[in-house]
Amino acid sequence: MAEALSQSGKARLGRLFVYGCLVVVALLYLMPLWVMVVTSLKPLDEIYGGSFIGVPKVVTLDAWRAAWSEACIGTECTGLKPYFVNSLLMVIPAVALSTGIGAINGYILTKWRFPGANFVFGLLLFGCFLPYQAILIPMARTLGLLGLAGSIPGLVAVHASYGICFTTLFFRNYFVSLPDELTKAAMVDGAGFFRIFWSVILPTSIPIIVVSCIWQFTQIWNDFLFGVSFTSGSSSPITVALNNIVNVTTGRKQYNVDMAAAMIAAIPTLVVYIVAGRYFVRGLTAGAVKG
Amino acid sequence: MSASTRMSSRLAGWLPRIVVAPSLLVVIVTVYLFILWTGVISVTSSKFVPTYDFVGLEQYVRLWATPRWHTAVANLFIFSALFLALSTGLGLLMAILLDQNIRAEGALRAIYLYPMALSFIVTGTAWKWIMNPGLGVQKVVNDLGWTDFRFDWITNPDTAIYTVVVAGVWQSSGFAMAIFLAGLRGIDNSVIKAAQIEGASLPLIYRQIIIPMLRPAMLSVIVLLSYIAIKSFDLVLALTNGGPGTATELPSTFMFSATFRRNQMGVGAASAVMMLMTVAAIIVPYLYSELRSENNG
Amino acid sequence: MSTLEIDRVRKAYGHLEVLKEVSISIGTGDFLVLLGPSGCGKSTLLNMIAGLETITGGQIRIAGKTVNDLSPKDRDIAMVFQSYALYPTMTVRQNIEFGMKIRRIAQADRDRAVKTASDLLQITHLLDRKPSQLSGGQRQRVAMGRAIVREPKLFLFDEPLSNLDAKLRVDMRTEIKRLHARLGTTIVYVTHDQIEAMTLATRVAVMKDGVVQQLDEPQAVYDRPANVYVARFVGSPAMNIVPAVLGAEGATATAVIDIARRPAARIGGISLSAEALRRYAGRKVLVGIRPENFSIATASAAPALTVDFDVVEPTGPDTLAVFQLGGVEVTARLPPRQAHAGREAALAVDTSKIVLFDSETETRID
Amino acid sequence: MSTLEIDRVRKAYGHLEVLKEVSISIGTGDFLVLLGPSGCGKSTLLNMIAGLETITGGQIRIAGKTVNDLSPKDRDIAMVFQSYALYPTMTVRQNIEFGMKIRRIAQADRDRAVKTASDLLQITHLLDRKPSQLSGGQRQRVAMGRAIVREPKLFLFDEPLSNLDAKLRVDMRTEIKRLHARLGTTIVYVTHDQIEAMTLATRVAVMKDGVVQQLDEPQAVYDRPANVYVARFVGSPAMNIVPAVLGAEGATATAVIDIARRPAARIGGISLSAEALRRYAGRKVLVGIRPENFSIATASAAPALTVDFDVVEPTGPDTLAVFQLGGVEVTARLPPRQAHAGREAALAVDTSKIVLFDSETETRID
Amino acid sequence: EGQIEVLHHWVSQSEVDALNVIRKELEAKGFEWKDSAVGGMSGANAQQALRSRLTAGNPPGAMQFLGWEGVQWAEQGVVRDLNDLATAGGWREALAPQLLPFVTSGEAFIAAPINMHRQNWVWANRKLFDDAGVAVPKTWAELIETGKTLKEKGIVPVAMGDEPWQIGIIFDALLSDINGPEFYQKTAIDLDPEALGSPEMVKVFDMLREVRGLVDDNFVGRDWAVATGMVINGEAAMQFMGDWAKGEFLAKGLKPNQDFYCFATPGAVTSFQYLIDSFGMFTVSDETVQKAQVALAETIMDPKVQKGFNLIKGSIPARNDVSVDDFDDCAKLGYQERAAAIEKGSMQGAITHGFAAKPEFASVFSDVAAQFFVGKMSSEDAVKMLVSGIDNAR
Ligand SMILES: Nc1ncnc2c1ncn2[C@@H]1O[C@H](COP(=O)(O)OP(=O)(O)OP(=O)(O)O)[C@@H](O)[C@H]1O
Ligand SMILES: Nc1ncnc2c1ncn2[C@@H]1O[C@H](COP(=O)(O)OP(=O)(O)OP(=O)(O)O)[C@@H](O)[C@H]1O
Ligand SMILES: [Mg+2]
Ligand SMILES: [Mg+2]
């Protein structure tokens, strides 16, 4: 729709203004990132000497090295490396599970509606708004009963369960806009419930799969509450390790390592945003727009 | 209108329900059963660990007699209102600007979106420094010569909550922007042309025509942002840790500290129930109307 | 190829009755068109034949066998949808093959079937494209190809042409007609476009609010509509329905029609059964005259009425002239350049084509 | 109300030339239809007239005044879009009022204008509804109402009827025609539907690939198309274009056309200028015959050719018969029940309506 | 020989180095140490993790306890009784009696204390004191005066952050220093409503307000170690902080009394406000873990280990019978003052770290003190708020 608006002579000034605004906002947005980057490149003494957000006098990558492979988390001085792996082991199955289940739920709730389907959807949807602090203890008990306590599979199960609510929302709203005739055609062609889902519906849902994966990936990767509650020690996800590096009470904070660690912890999500960001907006356009 | 269909065998007809049942079961247990459990705790005298002796609404009375909880509730309203208004406004503005055929759209979009990707455990520290009058923005501006410039909200209990709003807006407005952008991309070009022919100026066109047309996008932005507002936890912990004093306490931090730091599990559960009720009061009517109108349409 | 019997079929969504005891039966090789306005239940009926909707009451028999409880894939049907419903992520070839793949037909047989169908439909060069790379007409052909390879007993079409532009619609119409002639399969075809119904069908069922108004050959529906509704729905411009008073003149009837600011027109020589003549003589009736049954009065065609033309629309081959008759607006289809807006004209009427309707029940009087 | 002159107007998007020196000029009260297939540049031209697109070259003058550099709102035009472009969040009344509000017209005047327009369009009872609560035809009326209240010098319509169903399209067409008659405003109207062009226009510009092929009165375009392209584009079913060899017989020409498995047909008595006759005698030409110019041979109309009918499509008022002639497929429009598929038939041709084209340049030979 | 998982919230460098003394000793005995650290929020995160794990039936072998935590878990019956070991090792005799409520439950010994921190220290930059010509203050009034003198010279008198626990350290000290240890006992431990609402309490808040006047405005969000850095750099003169701050000075090569002062918060009776870290063992069925638990408890109570640990940590051994000869001057001073305080009854647990009132009450103290400190509340209102808050938590 933009072309419709851009024309005429005085438009040039307007465009200058638009670019100006965008760049200023972008710079403001980048400010915390800049603080993090410069801090991570400074030696600790410089920071405690009072230089917090200025340009570093000495640039060193020690903090990054330390954060990745040397920093102590408790008495284990392994850096973030092993926890990074833990997080990957957690996030990949959890995202895959919640997205997969959400997709099939959305499929059923739109293409195989049964009496009460809307009610079921409403039940699932309300789960999106649950304050998680409220359910830690019962969840711990349940995981204990299931023998999943303190393990990555347990954490995957927790994330997947609560993720279903959001992914179902995403997929349902997307599938509502897919013509029902597609399903009917496949049925006449002789395809069954799963075959239609797998061969016809799923291949058309790439944009919303991307949206769902980005959202879930961000939420699960950055989760701390469940991580700290349901895992321990060497099976912790990266946010818990990050917390242990950062959240020092009666010790001295190593700000440079903290910042480097935070950025290392954020790399996967940043990569996901940058690589898939284009599809993100497209996917939202395609259907997730309805709340 | 849907392909709700019959199949030859009974089992096949039940297949969709059978497939959706496990998810439903999981959600019923992990959401509703757990809510119920929390509700039960809130009417017991539980302190350190759950105990199951019924004490009526005592914990609620206690909760509402706690000044800290009042602060938390008041803050939730201030924070949610400002956070929603500013994130929505800023997101909308950026989306509109980004929609003007911008050359570096991809890069700018990534910049606006990246805060969503970062964990607040550490960006909180960066913000803390930026807002600290002796280190951050105020110092930089003062050093540049404007010595009267003040940006010391974080030091004042009355204004500290606004710093949480600022950081929250920074984190979430990009997401609002993405949804609005998607909405804008879906608007019919010719509506704008029609308004142009009628002599409407660009700001007028946006104000009177395009923005009202973004209502569906607006709704989803508000739903998702409310979700973020209600769950704001890391944000407060990392930025102000509830301080100065208890000035930036929110219900979520209150709940956590009551349950895990103060041995008042009953009060924590009561506060959780209060929060859930607030959420339900807002969300349930909305869900109801959305799903109903879809049935009719 | 087979017969189709729809026997007192009903459909209700909750309290809403969408189809009310519909009975239609057609023979092998017939081309049945379900014609009716939006929302009259055409698609619902078609979906019930396909097995995509449950049947509330009555029976559907394909080739004599009741299929009420069969799933779509067991009914031996193929269906083409208004939106074509091509699988967007598959190529044309995969789209056409999909049903065969599911039925585990060997690759060689599949290739052969695809080849035959795509040659027939002239889409062989498109086989490796995705639907999004096709034009509307090409998509339509692919959808038909997908149906053809199934070699079903029954083809079902749900408004297959309504997404095409006018020009293409005419071409594809002819193509479908030709296909039917070549394959000889029984076809049920849904449309709200009466021209499609007229050109394609061997049998037309005109529907309204879930009730079949008339089931007949197309020309019969056109010439002898069962009621005013059908008369108006079939034909474009629609049949003119003019209030008149009936008079008897020997064995034929005369319709007396008011014309504003002029003496009443008397159109005589309308043939009618003796009994009807007796019953309706002197009473109000509705006179149905098709636009093409007016003509400019000449020596051989005596003038029946004199009117003032209101609007004149040349369409190329013809000119449409609009005027007032009996208090309603009436359209006549005349040869080009013979009508001029605002002018007076003397018109003749082909009385043999006139149809009369009861002014209360609006059903045809014979 | 005013004149419109389009003077060697060009439009290029980068290297892509979309309009190539288009020149059209119409007088006050004219109804100009831009007719052409999708992508030929109709909307682009209309948008340039409206001021919504920049002009690459040439001039556009409204009422004699060059408007190249005026913004849309200063051109005193109103426009109706294909998608209607109603403001979805405003009521019908607000939609109609919006432009007046912007121009700060007093409430009382606004109310009066809305009343007049809505009465004219019979949408008074809809004034408080939102566009989403209206049917397609009602939306169309609202869009027109919005245009009417502006009382512009020039109305622009961009395919305003193409989103309506067939029946409604016919009705709204008549309504627009009537509106034009009543208001007398100059109108530019874009469509790809030739029937609309024929019925509405006082002047038709047939376009192809950014070039105007013919600019004339509708019946002239129909009867004497400038080239094969126009001949085929205007009229439905399209004009039949048959290869033939021209022979001279005195002052008239005779076309000799091959017919498969039969002796060649000789259609004589085609009038042609002496010079053309000389030039084309004995050479290959293209013969254009409209479907309605065939008729079943009778005593008065001598048989010109005997053919085998291939497909026969009854449309109600007429029957379309398809057969082979000169190696191409030809359609004839005949009265109902006179044609039968697979049968032999003797046809007469109205030679006065025949048009000849050069077989190389495809332009008309006079 | 066996493996033991140890859940703790020590994540900073010096804490971890100290902990490694225990770990090495244990590993020397042939046991494997599985580390589970959960830092943050003064151990609340670790508490929460522990609670989840106990609920799930999957407790760690050992857990670091702070304040009443151990006792409360013992009351739930999930903590292992270490009485046999305690008797054999003579723990009771080696520990100050004030500690016993935190490591025993009924008859049972439920935790092995490793160290003792003193919370009510003042750390001061000697050079600034000398330049300003001021001496170590003997009373709070003197301290305030000293501060004002320094402030006039453009020095920040008191460096601190706005975290409630940093404010709490000052409040705890004032509670005892202004009105004596008995008042501290009555208010912070016995929660006597009368004492809580008394005019004496108003005086405490009045003094706290005076201290606020000595703090710069940029204290929001400041880390305690950053504040210590300010004292080291000479930007600020004093800091109220537990003895973990000492490590910062020593790490810079500064010498006690020579470059910096360490002295107790001034009071008529010098108080010793302590906090201890102890390790408790959870009841588990796995025998190898049980063996490791015994080994760990013995290691912790080993005087040699206590010495090694505390030399690094900056605190003093929990055991009274460990020689502090190798320790620095500040530690020696603390050791001496502890002995005196035990006799005078002024060795008392710190509220701020949960060694006085139970957490639900302690948090009321910290809430009120923090809100008072950062806001503009009057002392009377603060007292009222304290009384009603404690009442509400009962
Ligand atoms: N799932 C449903 N629940 C309730 N009513 C329905 C449902 N599906 C269709 N209807 C109603 O049944 C009636 C017939 O619908 P149907 O789709 O068969 O109409 P149609 O004749 O095909 O119309 P169109 O030409 O618009 O496709 C409509 O009034 C419609 O609203
Ligand atoms: N902004 C643009 N940039 C490049 N090419 C364009 C642009 N807008 C239109 N075109 C091209 O110009 C040509 C004419 O477009 P136009 O919209 O005028 O066609 P049209 O005749 O209105 O077709 P339709 O009937 O489909 O509306 C098309 O080939 C189109 O692809
Ligand atoms: Mg339908
Ligand atoms: Mg166009």
Side-chain angles (χ1 to χ4, degrees), chain E residues 312-329:
Chain E
I312 298 171
K313 185 81 169 65
S315 43
I316 55 177
R319 294 181 74 115
N320 294 336
D321 54 0
V322 178
S323 143
V324 292
D325 294 347
D326 299 336
F327 284 60
D328 61 79
D329 290 352

Side-chain angles (χ1 to χ4, degrees), chain A residues 181, chain C residues 38-39 41-44 47 82 158-159 190 192:
Chain A
E181 294 186 341
Chain C
S38 185
K42 308 180 296 289
S43 298
T44 307
N47 281 332
Q82 174 173 355
D158 192 352
E159 311 204 11
V190 163
H192 59 251

